């Protein structure tokens, strides 16, 4: 009996010795990939035609399930928002009787009343001259109504609030300085969801329960390919490349539009002011950011940790002093 137990212990020790190299490999750290230039998107909303080719290309490449079109009754936009299975979303922003940009001194109703009258349904006299299009109007109806198209996506923040809030380290910055969620580490806690000021990241409640968002086609980047959405865009509204180069292109495009009278055009996220580092996916907008459901000054939750902690400590000290004073008077 003793000999048998001795043989079993010797064999178990031998098996442990054989497995030791495999256990040690778990402690081995892989050499990180070399740093690459920061990559991102520049989305020019003035070129977007709302075709949703980017949405479909994103779903096809990433094998995301199709969503049933849901008509809200307030817009022709049947996607409505980004989600765990919708990483690109083309917004349709219908502006009926929109406000006239400041400085014109006219309301939308006043402008409509002074617009040129065209015989749209009657033959025109050949001698009748077609008036020039007044500034701020849109063909063919010469009114103030318009649709704004905006292909929304993860902003890939330089200082990402979702990464700061993640307790497991599942959210990282890749070698391309893009924000990526490691699905094998994510535990589905949802802290990143509430931390994101743009409403980008979401948990797949009907699937694995984990957080999902745009990866900027990280697998395609590794092979030197464009992200699927940028490749599919027919108007080049979505531009992909090095962030610094894209910022130069954005400034040139902004200057061109303003030179042609589009004074309301502006860049969103192209500087370092937003989230104390800027966005690697930024936009050219034709109205205020809030119109596109973008916060003008998004907050980083980590900035509130110190004030809240100090407030909690001070409150605890005051409560302690009051308790001491109360019990001392009671005696």
């Amino acid at each position: 009996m003793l000999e048998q137990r001795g043989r079993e212990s010797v064999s178990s020790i031998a098996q442990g010795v054989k497995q030791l190299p495999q256990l040690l490999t778990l402690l081995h750290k892989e050499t990180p990939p070399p740093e690459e230039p920061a990559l991102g998107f520049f989305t020019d909303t003035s070129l977007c035609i709302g075709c949703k080719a980017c949405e479909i290309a994103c779903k096809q490449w990433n094998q995301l399930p199709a969503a049933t079109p849901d008509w809200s009754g307030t817009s022709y936009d049947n996607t409505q928002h980004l989600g765990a299975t919708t990483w690109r979303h083309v917004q349709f922003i219908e502006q009926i009787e929109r406000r006239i940009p400041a400085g014109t001194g006219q309301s939308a109703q006043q402008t409509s009343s002074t617009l040129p009258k065209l015989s749209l349904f009657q033959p025109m006299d050949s001698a009748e001259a077609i008036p020039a299009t007044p500034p701020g109007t849109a063909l063919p109806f010469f009114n103030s109504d318009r649709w704004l198209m905006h292909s929304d996506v993860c902003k890939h923040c330089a200082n990402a609030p979702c990464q700061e809030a993640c307790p497991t380290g599942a959210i990282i910055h890749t070698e391309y300085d893009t924000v990526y969620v490691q699905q094998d580490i994510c535990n589905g806690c949802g802290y990143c969801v509430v931390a994101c000021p743009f409403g980008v990241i979401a948990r797949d409640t009907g699937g694995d329960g984990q957080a999902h968002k745009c990866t900027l086609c990280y697998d395609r980047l590794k092979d030197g390919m464009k992200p699927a959405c940028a490749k599919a865009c027919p108007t080049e509204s979505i531009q992909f490349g090095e962030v610094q180069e894209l910022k130069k292109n954005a400034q040139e495009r902004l200057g061109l539009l303003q030179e042609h009278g589009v004074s309301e055009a502006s860049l969103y996220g192209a500087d370092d002011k937003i989230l104390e580092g800027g966005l690697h996916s930024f936009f050219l907008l034709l109205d205020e950011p809030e119109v596109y459901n973008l916060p003008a000054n998004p907050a980083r939750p980590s900035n509130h940790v110190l004030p809240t902690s100090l407030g909690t400590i001070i409150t605890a000290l005051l409560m302690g002093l009051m308790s001491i004073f109360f019990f001392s008077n009671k005696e």
Side-chain angles (χ1 to χ4, degrees), residues 266-331:
S266 63
L267 294 178
Y268 181 85
D271 53 27
D272 295 338
K273 295 180 181 179
I274 289 185
L275 296 177
E276 303 170 18
L279 312 178
H280 288 170
S281 177
F282 50 93
F283 306 87
L284 187 150
L285 307 178
L286 298 179
D287 210 321
E288 299 297 329
E290 292 84 357
V291 174
Y292 296 86
N293 198 29
L294 294 171
N297 187 24
R300 291 176 60 190
S302 59
N303 290 346
H304 301 290
V305 172
L306 183 58
T308 304
S309 300
L310 290 176
T312 303
I313 293 171
I314 293 172
T315 303
L317 289 174
L318 291 175
M319 293 295 292
L321 292 174
M322 291 175 62
S323 300
I324 294 172
F325 179 76
F326 175 76
F327 285 110
S328 63
N329 288 342
K330 192 174 181 180
E331 292 177 358

Side-chain angles (χ1 to χ4, degrees), residues 13-185:
I13 292 173
Q15 290 178 358
V17 171
K18 289 180 181 179
Q19 294 176 354
L20 185 60
Q22 297 179 357
L23 296 175
L24 291 176
T25 57
L26 298 177
L27 302 177
H28 174 69
K29 291 186 177 180
E30 292 285 340
T31 304
E35 289 291 331
E36 301 284 348
L39 300 178
F41 290 125
F42 165 46
T43 304
D44 185 350
T45 64
S46 68
L47 297 176
C48 182
I49 59 175
C51 66
K52 289 185 176 279
C54 54
E55 278 192 28
I56 302 304
C58 177
K59 282 186 174 288
Q60 285 182 337
W61 178 260
N62 294 290
Q63 300 181 4
L64 301 173
T68 303
D70 185 15
W71 300 103
S72 64
T74 60
S75 171
Y76 281 96
D77 179 5
N78 60 7
T79 308
Q80 298 186 20
H81 54 77
L82 293 169
T85 58
T86 301
W87 300 350
R88 267 278 179 188
H89 167 221
V90 179
Q91 291 179 317
F92 289 3
I93 304 169
E94 297 94 337
Q95 293 186 326
I96 308 301
E97 295 185 358
R98 68 184 179 94
R99 60 175 179 79
I100 302 302
T104 60
Q106 288 184 321
S107 66
Q109 291 78 8
Q110 290 173 334
T111 303
S112 299
S113 62
T114 59
L115 294 178
K117 304 299 182 181
L118 292 183
S119 304
L120 296 179
F121 303 104
Q122 297 179 0
M124 294 181 61
D125 185 0
S126 59
E128 184 179 354
I130 299 177
T133 304
T137 61
L139 288 172
F141 304 111
F142 295 98
N143 59 26
S144 59
D145 301 343
R146 67 174 179 179
W147 277 12
L148 299 177
M149 308 297 182
H150 171 224
S151 182
D152 198 10
V153 71
C154 174
K155 314 307 179 287
H156 293 279
C157 314
N159 294 310
C162 60
Q163 183 183 18
E164 294 176 348
C166 180
T168 64
I171 302 178
I172 61 170
H173 272 85
T174 69
E175 64 269 31
Y176 305 103
D177 212 9
T178 60
V179 182
Y180 183 83
V181 182
Q182 301 175 97
Q183 299 302 325
D184 57 335
I185 301 178

Side-chain angles (χ1 to χ4, degrees), residues 154-222:
C154 174
K155 314 307 179 287
H156 293 279
C157 314
N159 294 310
C162 60
Q163 183 183 18
E164 294 176 348
C166 180
T168 64
I171 302 178
I172 61 170
H173 272 85
T174 69
E175 64 269 31
Y176 305 103
D177 212 9
T178 60
V179 182
Y180 183 83
V181 182
Q182 301 175 97
Q183 299 302 325
D184 57 335
I185 301 178
C186 176
N187 64 358
C189 65
Y191 291 168
C192 56
V193 177
V194 295
C196 177
F198 305 104
V200 168
I201 195 166
R203 291 176 60 246
D204 186 6
T205 54
D208 56 15
Q210 296 177 327
H212 298 271
K213 69 170 195 67
C214 164
T215 65
L216 217 148
C217 284
Y218 181 59
D219 50 348
R220 293 173 66 95
L221 299 186
K222 298 286 282 185

